[in-house]
Amino acid sequence: MNAVFRNNEGYVDITAGTAIAHAAAAEKRKYRPIVYICSRYKGDNRKNAADALKYCRFAVRKGCIPIAPHIFFAHSGILDDTDPEERKLGMFIGLVLLDRCEEIWVFGNELSEGMKREYDRAVSRNIKVRTFTDSFVEMGG
């Protein structure tokens, strides 16, 4: 059933009705911020990639849209993380994506070289930083 919206004089107001209907529909859709997943990749790539996927699932369960470029570009084979030029390109792409995120979620107790670069970029851009242990416990900060 469509509600009929009327102005203060009692006339049907299609514009206001449409605006209110759109606002009500938007209210039903949950807002999901885009968060950058910052976690180790280099080293034990297979384990670290599996961990990053767990961190992404955690972010989704928390109502966010995760971005994990190290998984998408390096682990998928789009870029070769062992090739210095492709690693450099992957880091550049990651930083560009980070700039479009509302938050960065840093996982683990120790920052790798790449993670440190991402963390520093987020701080310099005033992107909210949240830190978590490997077991998803948020640390103060």
Side-chain angles (χ1 to χ4, degrees):
M1 178 175 138
N2 291 336
V4 175
F5 296 92
R6 298 184 182 278
N7 64 18
N8 62 354
E9 295 176 357
Y11 295 104
V12 173
D13 189 338
I14 295 171
T15 303
T18 301
I20 291 169
H22 283 291
E27 180 63 30
K28 289 180 183 177
R29 293 188 302 264
K30 291 229 178 220
Y31 174 74
R32 292 182 173 264
I34 299 174
V35 299
Y36 190 95
I37 303 300
C38 177
S39 65
R40 182 175 293 280
Y41 180 72
K42 199 170 188 179
D44 186 347
N45 296 11
R46 186 168 295 185
K47 178 194 177 302
N48 294 339
D51 287 345
L53 291 172
K54 290 176 191 173
Y55 305 147
C56 288
R57 283 191 290 274
F58 172 72
V60 169
R61 286 193 310 270
K62 293 294 184 180
C64 299
I65 300 169
I67 299 293
H70 56 305
I71 300 307
F72 182 71
F73 291 102
H75 192 68
S76 67
I78 294 171
L79 295 174
D80 180 357
D81 196 57
T82 64
D83 178 312
E85 287 303 310
E86 289 194 16
R87 178 171 171 72
K88 185 177 174 181
L89 175 59
M91 287 298 301
F92 171 77
I93 292 169
L95 294 176
V96 169
L97 293 171
L98 172 59
D99 287 346
R100 284 146 180 80
C101 294
E102 290 184 40
E103 297 180 5
I104 181 172
W105 290 13
V106 181
F107 288 89
N109 298 323
E110 188 178 325
L111 297 180
S112 67
E113 172 192 333
M115 292 171 69
K116 175 86 168 98
R117 195 173 305 147
E118 294 163 340
Y119 173 86
D120 289 344
R121 174 69 161 246
V123 169
S124 74
R125 301 274 205 237
N126 294 315
I127 296 170
K128 182 178 179 180
V129 177
R130 294 176 67 185
T131 56
F132 298 86
T133 66
D134 291 333
S135 56
F136 313 107
V137 176
E138 187 164 7
M139 297 182 273

